[in-house]
Amino acid sequence: MNIQWFPGHMAKTRKQISEDLKLVDIIYELTDSRVPESGRNPEIDAIAQNKPRILILNKCDMADETANNKWIEYYKSKGIKAVLVSAISGYGINKLNTLTAEILAEKIKAKAEKGIVGDGVKAMIVGIPNVGKSSLINKLSGRAGTKTGDRPGVTKGKQWITLKGGTMLLDTPGILWPKFEDAFIGQKLAFTGAIKDEIIDIEELALYFIDFMRNNYPENLKERYKISDLEKEPVDIMFDIGKKRGCVISGGDIDYTRAAKLIMDDFRSCNLGKITLEFPEEM
Ligand code: G4P
């Protein structure tokens, strides 16, 4: 599946993030637990340079728990500090705070020795669109869903939110672009909804998704749609699902667009269970 990507403001965005990064002590790199590697930016190492960084596997509540744990082990083996988080439930936030304090222990100590009180460490969230950056900022800060720019009368310039542990968080996240050099990456991101459905063929997408599901999570597919035969073409499985779920048009055929949307919606709202789309063994 070929997904078109329009880089647009990539260079400008990168410059902005690089400037913002100069202001912080640590980077919170956000990715999606369902696609931990596909959800990362290919140039993050270059952008982050040697700044301390924590990889946050967000939306862990939507992903397969066994796979979540394998990913944490995988990153550990690579010397990458990673933590499972749900920006909605708050799962993992305490661990994130502890890890931040651990990584920046020397810096915090040095500040304290200089008598700097209350000047917490500074952090910034970066990640590709839809990965949960705003949700995490809101969860960490306890603020409601407003964004700085939405509030009238706010002076321009950097806004910092002081978090419970004293960490100061830049309230505008850095928006990174995903990697598209591999068609499968675009496809997986499209499954999660990180790429707008308007620019992709939803029927084609759902067929690839059915294929993935029957190979990796066949029971989830069978249980949700009360179907038993997965030994057939994805298009025929889609037909069965459409029929079971009432996506029928006159003449007995099914409305494939409706069936495709229903399947993708079911995945994105976890009605098909907790699903991970890529695994450390494949890396
Ligand atoms: P962004 O700033 O990186 O673009 O992402 P944002 O926070 O807007 O989150 C994108 C979508 O992902 C939102 O759903 C949000 O609720 C959801 N989300 C973020 N973090 C988590 C998480 O840890 N777990 C789960 N289950 N969902 C998460 P939406 O449907 O686009 O918006 P809304 O209906 O929630 O407002």
Side-chain angles (χ1 to χ4, degrees), residues 239-270:
F239 182 90
D240 292 347
I241 295 172
K243 203 150 195 188
K244 287 262 182 191
R245 303 307 297 258
C247 309
V248 190
I249 49 172
S250 58
D253 204 356
I254 70 147
D255 181 339
Y256 284 94
T257 309
R258 240 178 88 205
K261 279 194 184 136
L262 179 139
I263 293 163
M264 296 321 302
D265 282 351
D266 273 347
F267 164 65
R268 292 168 188 166
S269 48
C270 294

Side-chain angles (χ1 to χ4, degrees), residues 58-59 61-62 86-88 128-135:
N58 190 38
K59 306 197 186 187
D61 55 300
M62 305 181 86
S86 167
I88 300 297
I128 68 168
N130 207 45
V131 74
K133 298 178 295 300
S134 312
S135 306

Side-chain angles (χ1 to χ4, degrees), residues 43-188:
E43 291 176 47
I44 185 70
D45 288 340
I47 295 170
Q49 301 202 342
N50 293 322
K51 191 79 64 180
R53 193 181 349 154
I54 296 176
L55 181 63
I56 298 177
L57 276 68
N58 190 38
K59 306 197 186 187
C60 71
D61 55 300
M62 305 181 86
D64 179 340
E65 211 176 308
T66 310
N68 281 346
N69 295 331
K70 279 191 192 167
W71 275 112
I72 291 296
E73 284 306 310
Y74 170 82
Y75 287 121
K76 204 171 162 190
S77 75
K78 300 255 168 217
I80 295 172
K81 304 232 186 286
V83 59
L84 294 165
V85 162
S86 167
I88 300 297
S89 75
Y91 178 90
I93 301 286
N94 285 344
K95 200 158 186 184
L96 175 67
N97 292 336
T98 312
L99 201 55
T100 305
E102 258 171 48
I103 293 171
L104 297 176
E106 292 214 346
K107 195 154 205 156
I108 294 167
K109 199 167 147 228
K111 278 188 182 180
E113 277 168 2
K114 276 192 212 151
I116 303 171
V117 184
D119 182 13
V121 297
K122 290 180 172 160
M124 178 187 178
I125 289 175
V126 301
I128 68 168
N130 207 45
V131 74
K133 298 178 295 300
S134 312
S135 306
L136 185 62
I137 292 177
N138 292 343
K139 193 73 192 175
L140 285 169
S141 63
R143 80 173 183 191
T146 48
K147 296 190 180 185
T148 315
D150 299 339
R151 281 182 263 133
V154 175
T155 45
K156 282 206 175 142
K158 303 292 164 206
Q159 302 286 318
W160 296 90
I161 309 166
T162 307
L163 309 178
K164 254 191 265 164
T167 304
M168 288 163 76
L169 185 69
L170 194 59
D171 90 337
T172 34
I175 303 168
L176 297 169
W177 57 99
K179 47 189 164 190
F180 275 93
E181 58 265 35
D182 175 343
F184 286 113
I185 293 174
Q187 189 177 298
K188 283 183 270 189

Side-chain angles (χ1 to χ4, degrees), residues 34-39 71 188 212 276-280 282-283:
R34 296 167 299 172
V35 282
E37 277 301 294
S38 297
W71 275 112
K188 283 183 270 189
F212 169 83
T276 295
L277 299 170
E278 63 191 14
F279 309 94
E282 298 162 5
M283 296 300 129

